[in-house]
Amino acid sequence: MNIIEIENLNKIFKTRQNHFQALNDLSLTIAKGEMIAIMGTSGSGKTTLLNILGCIDHASSGSYRLNQKLIEGKSLQALASIRNRDLGFVMQDFALVDHYSVQKNVLLPLNYLKDHKLRKERAARLPALLEKLHIRHKQIEKVMNLSGGQKQRVAIARALINEPEVILADEPTGALDQKTSQEIIQLLRAINQEGKTIVIVTHDPNIAACCDRMVRIEDGRIIEDTKLILSV
Ligand SMILES: Nc1ncnc2c1ncn2[C@@H]1O[C@H](COP(=O)(O)OP(=O)(O)OP(=O)(O)O)[C@@H](O)[C@H]1O
């Protein structure tokens, strides 16, 4: 089953003087449970694509179906709820609140859940989640006192707390050294093997090599789509 289906997607950024076509008739399907790397030179359209997949931005034309549901035409409120329920985000700069504790950061997405019972159930999973990500011993530590690798583990825990089907990661290892990057990618791989679909934007061929598939974008178009034989 395809969890992501995009068809003939175009994205045009309009400024006062001119306009720029960042995505050009791009079509892509991603199967449930796939781990896919999006590569391409700087300015090729990777983040633009990820932002549309993440319902942070909308396409100028074309269609996007997430879990069979058409995303175009949804209200801002509906998009916010899709982002919170169906998607988890992991960013290069971690996007954590530095002066909050690890547990407060991880529990943040639950604030948007209206169902109090569900909120309690999910919050109860916190210790097991932190254990799995090897940061249980840092539960009440402020994020500002953690290493880069630990911060990214907190961000991954936060992305997982609402049990989304899809994790979108924009250069998740961009701020980390090589050894820590490998640890983070192996962690994402383990999460993928539990059934999550993972889309990773990366410049790093070593990260792409840990994925099932690599799609290369140039000038807003897909120029390569390769299934990878995993060595990990
Ligand atoms: N809000 C915007 N307004 C105008 N142009 C934009 C806007 N956002 C992105 N662009 C342009 O769209 C193109 C694609 O940008 P995007 O951020 O998707 O590239 P990228 O592949 O993620 O690059 P990088 O690897 O450097 O992060 C770039 O030429 C960029 O300048």
Side-chain angles (χ1 to χ4, degrees), residues 11-15 18-23 38-51 57 92 170-171 201-203 217 220:
K11 177 67 185 179
I12 298 168
F13 289 111
K14 289 189 177 128
T15 57
N18 52 16
H19 71 274
F20 182 83
Q21 182 143 9
L23 295 179
I38 311 280
M39 297 192 81
T41 52
S42 183
S44 55
K46 305 179 297 293
T47 298
T48 304
L49 175 61
L50 206 71
N51 286 345
D57 201 357
Q92 174 170 3
D170 198 353
E171 292 278 356
V201 163
T202 183
H203 282 109
I217 297 183

Side-chain angles (χ1 to χ4, degrees), residues 11-114:
K11 177 67 185 179
I12 298 168
F13 289 111
K14 289 189 177 128
T15 57
R16 241 179 253 160
Q17 288 83 19
N18 52 16
H19 71 274
F20 182 83
Q21 182 143 9
L23 295 179
N24 205 324
D25 216 23
L26 190 145
S27 298
L28 176 71
T29 55
I30 300 176
K32 192 172 159 57
E34 216 170 9
M35 180 151 159
I36 175 167
I38 311 280
M39 297 192 81
T41 52
S42 183
S44 55
K46 305 179 297 293
T47 298
T48 304
L49 175 61
L50 206 71
N51 286 345
I52 293 173
L53 293 179
C55 304
I56 292 165
D57 201 357
H58 61 272
S60 306
S61 64
S63 69
Y64 170 28
R65 281 189 171 76
L66 175 64
N67 235 340
Q68 324 278 297
K69 283 177 295 218
L70 194 61
I71 296 301
E72 282 83 44
K74 294 229 185 285
S75 67
L76 289 178
Q77 204 182 357
L79 291 178
S81 121
I82 289 169
R83 276 199 301 275
N84 200 44
R85 195 186 51 223
D86 300 331
L87 301 166
F89 296 88
V90 180
M91 315 305 266
Q92 174 170 3
D93 63 0
F94 321 121
L96 298 166
V97 185
D98 264 355
H99 61 279
Y100 282 5
S101 68
V102 166
Q103 67 178 14
K104 196 165 175 183
N105 268 281
V106 175
L107 295 175
L108 270 179
L110 300 185
N111 291 345
Y112 304 98
L113 276 186
K114 289 199 190 88

Side-chain angles (χ1 to χ4, degrees), residues 68-205:
Q68 324 278 297
K69 283 177 295 218
L70 194 61
I71 296 301
E72 282 83 44
K74 294 229 185 285
S75 67
L76 289 178
Q77 204 182 357
L79 291 178
S81 121
I82 289 169
R83 276 199 301 275
N84 200 44
R85 195 186 51 223
D86 300 331
L87 301 166
F89 296 88
V90 180
M91 315 305 266
Q92 174 170 3
D93 63 0
F94 321 121
L96 298 166
V97 185
D98 264 355
H99 61 279
Y100 282 5
S101 68
V102 166
Q103 67 178 14
K104 196 165 175 183
N105 268 281
V106 175
L107 295 175
L108 270 179
L110 300 185
N111 291 345
Y112 304 98
L113 276 186
K114 289 199 190 88
D115 184 334
H116 287 262
K117 190 165 160 264
L118 193 62
R119 196 191 295 182
K120 261 187 129 174
E121 274 170 26
R122 292 200 168 153
R125 294 199 201 114
L126 179 79
L129 188 55
L130 296 183
E131 195 77 58
K132 183 162 130 185
L133 293 164
H134 305 298
I135 43 172
R136 177 85 197 269
H137 59 299
K138 298 288 183 187
Q139 183 166 344
I140 56 169
E141 188 70 70
K142 281 190 176 161
V143 158
M144 63 175 78
N145 298 329
L146 302 185
S147 70
Q150 288 168 339
K151 284 182 186 173
Q152 202 54 302
R153 286 166 190 270
V154 176
I156 293 170
R158 184 191 51 188
L160 289 172
I161 194 80
N162 262 333
E163 302 254 305
E165 291 230 44
V166 179
I167 304 285
L168 300 174
D170 198 353
E171 292 278 356
T173 61
L176 306 175
D177 62 49
Q178 214 178 346
K179 180 172 168 282
T180 314
S181 296
Q182 272 306 317
E183 287 167 11
I184 292 296
I185 198 70
Q186 294 309 334
L187 200 53
L188 288 172
R189 189 76 210 172
I191 291 163
N192 163 252
Q193 273 156 5
E194 289 169 7
K196 304 275 181 226
T197 306
I198 306 189
V199 183
I200 305 178
V201 163
T202 183
H203 282 109
D204 185 345

